[in-house]
Amino acid sequence: MQTRQPLAPAIARAADLARASEGRACAKQHAKGKRTARERLDLLFDPGSFKETGRFIGADINNDQAGCAVVTGMGQVRGRTVAAYAQDFSVRGGTLGAVEGDKILRLMDEAMRVGVPIVALLDSGGARIQEGVAALSRYGGIFRATCRASGMVPQISLILGPCAGGAVYCPALTDLIVMTRENSHMFVTGPDVVREATGESVGMDDLGGGRMHASVSGVAHYLAEDETDAIDYARVVLSYLPSNCEQTPPRYDYVATRADRRTADELASIVPERDREPYDMRDVIALIMDYGEFVQVHEMYAGSALTGFACIDGRSVGIVANQPCVMGGVLDVESSEKIARFVAMCDAFNLPVVTLVDTPGYRPGSDQERAGIIRRGAKVIYAYAEAQVPLVTVVLRKAFGGAYIVMGSRSIGADEVFAWPTSRIAVLGAQGAVDIIHRRELLTAHERGEDVEALRRDLVNDYENRVVNANLALETGQIDAMIDPAQTRDAIVSSLTALSSKRRSERTSRHHGNPPL
């Protein structure tokens, strides 16, 4: 009768192999100023909560190979379950082959079954050339799985090393991309290929570095100082989002204090009455939201608009706002796409959207028309019109033309719209409207040698009193109430409380809409 071999030596052998493998990984990664895959996962998850799956899948234990080039598993982030995978650059350059692809797909399938967020920590040389089409097919599978998970569970990608070629489309399909100032690079074709194909000589950072993607291309939603900052940002963002699309966002205890009332009173002094005088909308947001906290998304990109997460009375919300201190808060091609993508994400994960409006309109110019402001500006319309989460809008100072419509107006689908008493809402600002409406009158005055500027001032004042103030919007039901600036927080809280039971409408039989992509 054959006796079974004792398990203890095999377990000890596996443990020794794992320690030796991590030691080699530390030596390789630390020399480059980078952490190992498992060290990164330890930073992401609550201490001791990460449970690795398939540690020795793809291993060759007899030849001291402890596993493949990706680490997968689940753990707790601030007490809630999250799935994550981290590419291990110390093993075959973190390249993806059949084994690595299968591990990632298995983790993603499990995450979708249990309804938990997926975080990808990417640091890879791309597809494993030696495996040819087998490696490419796994990328295709990951693309498809990412699309299936989109809008079902939050997906965050952290670029902590190279990410090149077809591999860049894995993070591009996720909700948020985080890059670091050093070490992070994303590009479809590297500097050598670019130089060979086009003759252009360009460095890694200029071609696909974190700063470039955060401020120029808009590919990265956050530029972190280092790996620790990048991982901390992911943890913070997850604290605002539900685990999946079926759940409501997290709620936190918040007790109002006397300081809140003093803070509310400061609002009236922040926003200048003159339309063209700049101010920082972040100061307004800080006075309205709990503890003044605002976690920006796309902070360095399309600066004339602000998007990000905050809490108000303990409730997680998405914030969309114009930024008057950057180009007056105009909407252009970049800010339109920035707003549209953020509103769509909030709608997917049941976050109410609070919109703070102060914009002179769409940015004029031939460069904008050539860049597709018609098509790309329409994305904001589509996002707001399709959103079914609670939408609360406050017009702080001005809202002119098409920009008024698209920035969460009543007609586009907002549930509650408020305006400050000094707000101005119209098709055009007074100056522009007078120049058009009273063109002949002004021309006649000029021909007669009369004081044209004095006449223009009188006409502007008359137009502002009759048309530009918010009374007309109030009278026609486009605004629910005129509120004192100090009442802004209370008005938003009351609206969100009343709208907390808002239900999504029944969908039609169509497969999906056709947005202006």
Side-chain angles (χ1 to χ4, degrees), residues 28 69 87-96 123-126 128 162:
K28 290 181 179 180
Q87 294 175 321
D88 188 348
F89 199 84
S90 70
V91 177
R92 298 182 179 180
T95 53
L96 185 135
D123 185 3
S124 170
R128 188 167 298 149

Side-chain angles (χ1 to χ4, degrees), residues 184-364:
S184 291
H185 295 97
M186 292 180 72
F187 33 67
V188 175
T189 52
D192 293 340
V193 176
V194 170
R195 183 169 52 255
E196 206 171 298
T198 69
E200 179 187 4
S201 181
V202 61
M204 293 269 287
D205 289 338
D206 290 336
L207 183 63
R211 181 178 291 276
M212 190 284 289
H213 280 310
S215 60
V216 180
S217 72
V219 168
H221 298 84
Y222 180 70
L223 180 64
E225 291 296 327
D226 51 29
E227 292 186 8
T228 302
D229 185 27
I231 293 170
D232 185 60
Y233 182 80
R235 286 175 56 88
V236 170
V237 167
L238 287 171
S239 71
Y240 288 96
L241 296 170
S243 292
N244 58 67
C245 63
E246 300 295 329
Q247 297 182 0
T248 56
R251 288 293 304 267
Y252 300 98
D253 293 333
Y254 184 81
V255 179
T257 65
R258 292 181 180 178
D260 289 329
R261 175 50 55 193
R262 290 195 300 271
T263 297
D265 291 337
E266 294 177 29
L267 278 173
S269 62
I270 286 183
V271 180
E273 287 191 19
R274 293 179 62 247
D275 281 352
R276 299 189 179 186
E277 190 172 340
Y279 65 94
D280 195 336
M281 183 65 81
R282 292 174 298 183
D283 295 335
V284 174
I285 295 171
L287 293 175
I288 295 173
M289 299 302 151
D290 295 353
Y291 309 113
E293 294 178 355
F294 178 45
V295 179
Q296 287 196 65
V297 173
H298 265 149
E299 180 178 1
M300 298 175 65
Y301 179 69
S304 63
L306 299 174
T307 56
F309 303 104
C311 281
I312 183 164
D313 196 37
R315 180 184 282 106
S316 296
V317 296
I319 302 294
V320 174
N322 305 114
Q323 175 56 295
C325 69
V326 178
M327 296 188 297
V330 298
L331 288 179
D332 57 13
V333 290
E334 288 86 7
S335 60
S336 294
E337 289 184 335
K338 172 178 174 176
I339 291 171
R341 182 66 169 13
F342 184 75
V343 170
M345 180 170 63
C346 289
D347 186 52
F349 297 115
N350 304 315
L351 260 72
V353 177
V354 176
T355 306
L356 304 176
V357 184
D358 189 349
T359 178
Y362 278 99
R363 183 180 176 183

